[in-house]
Amino acid sequence: MGKISFEKYNLWLNALKEINVKDYETLKQFSEEEINDSFYKDLEFGTGGLRGVMGLGSNRMNEYIVKKASVGIARYLKKHYDFPSISIGYDSRNNSSLFARYASEVYASLGVKVFLYPTLEPTPLLSYAVRKLHTSGGCIITASHNPSKYNGYKVYNDEGCQIGIKVADEILEEISKVDIFEEFKNIKSFDELFENHMISYIDLKIVDDFVKDTLKISLLQDFSNKDIKICYTPLNGTGLIPVTKTLKEAGFSNVFVPDEQRNPDGNFPTCPYPNPEIYEAMKLGIEYCNKENADLLIATDPDCDRCGIGIRYNGEFKLLTGNEVGILLLDFIVNHTKLPINPIAVRSIVSTSAVDKICSLHNVTMKKVLTGFKFIGDIICKLEEKSEENSYIFGFEESYGYLTNPKVRDKDAVNASLIIAEMFYYYHERGINLIDKLNAIYEEIGYYKNSLLTYQFDGESGLNTMNKMMDDLRNFAFDKLEEVFSSKVIEKLDYLLLKSTTNNNEITQIDSEKSNVLTFIFEDETRVTIRPSGTEPKIKFYIESVGKDVSSSLLINDKYKDLIIKFVKLY
């Protein structure tokens, strides 16, 4: 056990003995391994806020960490606003409503006016509330698509975007000054603060306003009855009411929900990993689609910012990837809607570059940003500053995040459910299957195959392993990279150093915020991007290959997969 872990453990043990005997007794039973994993570092606060496994310790999500973060954020808001206020939401996870209550007590006790959702709501509704209520910021208690043992704390600025690096660093500085136990002694009770109007509940009429604004960006602008059968599942999360209400008002009257996944449940009993990116989370929905003869499956993750779909093709239900849906949606928007002057679309750097080709064919500007929807939201904010937000037509991430509604500044699965259903209906009425449509697009622009390899490295040793892997790849010379990947690297993009280097040693600056991300571009047009996750103990390898047909693209992709697997085994 490390010295730092032991010192922090004893600090918590002595403090909890005085303020919470139950937690003190729990902490006393920790094994040496549990102590080290729970205290070897502080749970990291960054642009994504906080996220971690729930439990006691400095490296866990718990009452004390939530309160400490809230003190730091409250101090930041008081420095920058004369009359600071904050919108607060929470999802269906275990302890989410409790953590939201703790956060509300801290903010209100420190003089920050709190507007709290009285019921669980999706993440996009929190972004929407910040803008609608004109609060100084926002936070929502959620761990998005992570397993049930996780929870988190996402923080938003006054434009409804997740905070950027500069703000996160300033808040972190404030958080680091907080004595985790001493400063909580003067926090008032929720009831007292509510009576004194420092905490107010958000009027749920805002949900109706949100649905109306979502319908305003309908791709079809046709709200008559649409004869397709949709299976929608909120995966025991927050999406049930806003998604079904939006679909119904758009004319999709034949929508059913699997009973097992209808109601909020932080244990996610039917899908331990409630992520619409993976088959296991979609399996029950597929079974219902087959049983009920549904045309379309739509699933949203617990905080309803990610959206996954499945469609019937040759008698079976096929799940589409985030990149495939992004290609289909952008193609539909540029071909079947009225585009503004100087239209702009946005994608993350790890999402498929197939959409770049579509944009070039239709005179649409494609902006590329770092992973994290805050960067897409920031593009919309910058356009708004110039009164050009109507130029924005679409933003997406390969991790099933989509947005066409500029009144929300985060990925929005309510919005996505609507536009996907509309696109599906449009082609369905014309006898066109989405898979066939996707293949027709590939025929025009080339066959793009995107795949993702993810490796989990837990604990302190895992963090060290991932850091070593990134350092080695960053420092390898081009001949060493060619040895690793068995292919000639023609360009290396380093988003930490903001430097692009070619194999001819031509160096240019990258116009971006810094991030620990590397991209290698190969002679055969393959692109491999590597980044450690900002919210989980994982490192991710994104592979994109392009071929003249499906088989050639798959062969190239498989080649790089095998090479990456061999490389990771060295660590």
Side-chain angles (χ1 to χ4, degrees):
M1 180 168 56
K3 181 181 178 184
I4 293 175
S5 299
F6 186 69
E7 288 176 352
K8 284 184 180 178
Y9 171 73
N10 279 322
L11 174 68
W12 277 59
L13 201 62
N14 293 332
L16 291 178
K17 188 174 183 179
E18 301 296 324
I19 64 174
N20 192 319
V21 175
K22 183 180 177 182
D23 285 349
Y24 167 74
E25 292 295 337
T26 299
L27 206 57
K28 270 178 57 178
Q29 305 304 315
F30 272 27
S31 66
E32 187 171 311
E33 183 180 354
E34 287 175 311
I35 292 170
N36 195 57
D37 199 38
S38 300
F39 289 95
Y40 80 91
K41 66 171 184 173
D42 290 343
L43 198 62
E44 293 180 9
F45 182 90
T47 57
L50 296 165
R51 190 178 299 183
V53 174
M54 287 180 280
L56 291 172
S58 62
N59 187 34
R60 294 287 185 264
M61 274 295 294
N62 52 62
E63 169 188 352
Y64 313 105
I65 297 302
V66 167
K67 287 179 176 178
K68 181 175 182 177
S70 300
V71 172
I73 298 164
R75 288 178 177 170
Y76 167 84
L77 292 174
K78 291 180 74 173
K79 276 187 176 181
H80 291 272
Y81 298 89
D82 293 332
F83 303 100
S85 58
I86 191 163
S87 301
I88 299 179
Y90 58 93
D91 70 3
S92 63
R93 289 179 177 273
N94 296 329
N95 296 318
S96 280
S97 61
L98 189 61
F99 289 165
R101 190 178 178 96
Y102 289 145
S104 298
E105 289 174 341
V106 171
Y107 285 118
S109 295
L110 295 179
V112 178
K113 171 70 176 170
V114 171
F115 295 89
L116 173 67
Y117 270 113
T119 57
L120 51 81
E121 298 293 349
T123 287
L125 259 163
L126 187 277
S127 173
Y128 184 81
V130 171
R131 298 179 59 77
K132 191 81 170 176
L133 302 175
H134 305 289
T135 55
S136 313
C139 74
I140 185 163
I141 309 299
T142 176
S144 190
H145 58 288
N146 288 88
S148 59
K149 65 181 180 179
Y150 283 83
N151 214 325
Y153 188 125
K154 290 172 71 173
V155 186
Y156 292 76
N157 62 22
D158 59 6
E159 294 177 312
C161 288
Q162 286 186 64
I163 54 172
I165 294 170
K166 184 179 178 182
V167 174
D169 287 345
E170 193 173 340
I171 289 174
L172 180 58
E173 186 178 348
E174 293 294 339
I175 292 173
S176 66
K177 300 173 187 175
V178 178
D179 185 314
I180 195 165
F181 298 111
E182 284 298 318
E183 308 230 20
F184 304 151
K185 293 178 179 177
N186 296 321
I187 295 174
K188 298 174 183 176
S189 73
F190 186 95
D191 291 341
E192 180 183 351
L193 292 162
F194 188 83
E195 288 176 10
N196 293 335
H197 305 291
M198 282 304 295
I199 298 175
S200 299
Y201 285 124
I202 296 173
D203 187 340
L204 288 181
K205 180 183 176 296
I206 199 170
V207 179
D208 295 329
D209 294 338
F210 171 80
V211 170
K212 288 176 184 176
D213 280 333
T214 301
L215 291 167
K216 286 177 184 176
I217 51 83
S218 156
L219 299 180
L220 300 181
Q221 288 299 313
D222 170 16
F223 304 134
S224 61
N225 187 58
K226 297 171 179 62
D227 188 24
I228 61 170
K229 192 170 189 178
I230 299 174
C231 173
Y232 165 66
T233 170
L235 298 180
N236 300 116
T238 59
L240 179 66
I241 293 173
V243 170
T244 55
K245 184 177 178 65
T246 301
L247 290 175
K248 183 177 180 180
E249 295 196 13
F252 297 97
S253 56
N254 195 358
V255 179
F256 69 93
V257 180
D259 289 338
E260 299 94 325
Q261 295 177 340
R262 169 183 290 272
N263 296 320
D265 187 338
N267 295 315
F268 309 115
T270 63
C271 49
Y273 200 84
N275 184 352
E277 294 180 68
I278 62 173
Y279 175 80
E280 287 76 14
M282 305 289 276
K283 183 179 178 183
L284 183 67
I286 292 172
E287 290 173 1
Y288 268 88
C289 284
N290 288 326
K291 183 168 61 176
E292 300 291 338
N293 199 31
D295 300 300
L296 173 65
L297 168 64
I298 298 176
T300 57
D301 68 340
D303 69 328
C304 197
D305 63 354
R306 297 183 182 216
C307 182
I309 70 167
I311 58 171
R312 194 180 302 281
Y313 188 67
N314 291 337
E316 295 183 359
F317 254 81
K318 177 176 172 56
L319 302 179
L320 273 65
T321 69
N323 279 317
E324 290 169 339
V325 173
I327 291 167
L328 285 163
L329 282 172
L330 181 62
D331 179 82
F332 186 87
I333 289 166
V334 298
N335 282 296
H336 301 292
T337 67
K338 184 179 179 181
L339 296 179
I341 298 172
N342 302 320
I344 292 170
V346 194
R347 70 165 174 89
S348 67
I349 58 173
V350 299
S351 300
T352 179
S353 61
V355 292
D356 302 2
K357 185 74 71 74
I358 294 170
C359 284
S360 67
L361 294 172
H362 294 273
N363 297 315
V364 174
T365 299
M366 172 58 76
K367 293 185 177 291
K368 296 177 275 288
V369 296
L370 294 174
T371 303
F373 225 85
K374 55 184 165 287
F375 297 109
I376 296 176
D378 189 53
I379 292 288
I380 305 173
C381 291
K382 288 175 180 175
L383 289 171
E384 187 178 43
E385 289 171 6
K386 299 184 292 182
S387 299
E388 295 175 2
E389 66 270 26
N390 289 334
S391 296
Y392 171 83
I393 60 169
F394 182 57
F396 94 101
E397 289 186 327
E398 48 75 40
S399 55
Y400 292 58
Y402 318 98
L403 181 69
T404 60
N405 182 5
K407 292 198 174 183
V408 174
R409 301 295 160 87
D410 205 346
K411 53 183 174 284
D412 181 354
V414 183
N415 175 194
S417 296
L418 172 64
I419 59 177
I420 288 169
E422 290 188 314
M423 175 181 67
F424 179 89
Y425 172 75
Y426 178 90
Y427 289 126
H428 182 269
E429 287 297 287
R430 289 156 179 79
I432 302 171
N433 188 282
L434 283 185
I435 304 295
D436 292 328
K437 178 61 187 176
L438 183 63
N439 288 330
I441 296 170
Y442 286 145
E443 283 284 343
E444 182 180 11
I445 67 172
Y447 285 83
Y448 287 75
K449 172 63 179 175
N450 292 80
S451 59
L452 171 63
L453 294 175
T454 301
Y455 296 91
Q456 183 156 332
F457 295 93
D458 292 312
E460 185 176 15
S461 62
L463 180 63
N464 293 335
T465 298
M466 290 190 288
N467 287 338
K468 177 74 165 58
M469 207 179 294
M470 291 299 292
D471 288 344
D472 286 348
L473 286 168
R474 178 167 283 112
N475 296 319
F476 282 162
F478 275 86
D479 56 351
K480 177 63 175 176
L481 289 170
E482 187 171 338
E483 181 185 322
V484 170
F485 293 108
S486 297
S487 188
K488 187 175 182 179
V489 179
I490 61 171
E491 186 177 6
K492 176 174 74 172
L493 292 89
D494 189 331
Y495 288 88
L496 189 61
L497 302 179
L498 297 181
K499 185 173 67 173
S500 169
T501 308
T502 69
N503 59 332
N504 296 323
N505 205 33
E506 295 173 357
I507 300 173
T508 56
Q509 291 298 115
I510 298 173
D511 182 16
S512 172
E513 293 196 52
K514 290 185 177 182
S515 184
N516 189 18
V517 179
L518 293 166
T519 295
F520 300 105
I521 300 173
F522 297 85
E523 196 171 36
D524 61 4
E525 295 186 71
T526 299
R527 186 170 57 116
V528 174
T529 299
I530 308 103
R531 74 176 187 94
S533 171
T535 57
E536 302 169 274
K538 295 178 178 179
I539 188 166
K540 299 183 176 185
F541 293 78
Y542 301 83
I543 309 162
E544 176 175 270
S545 54
V546 188
K548 63 181 184 297
D549 52 38
V550 176
S551 59
S552 63
S553 185
L554 283 172
L555 280 172
I556 297 168
N557 207 275
D558 287 342
K559 166 195 164 184
Y560 284 91
K561 276 185 185 176
D562 291 340
L563 292 166
I564 289 167
I565 290 168
K566 288 178 183 176
F567 172 73
V568 173
K569 283 181 179 177
L570 298 175
Y571 295 82

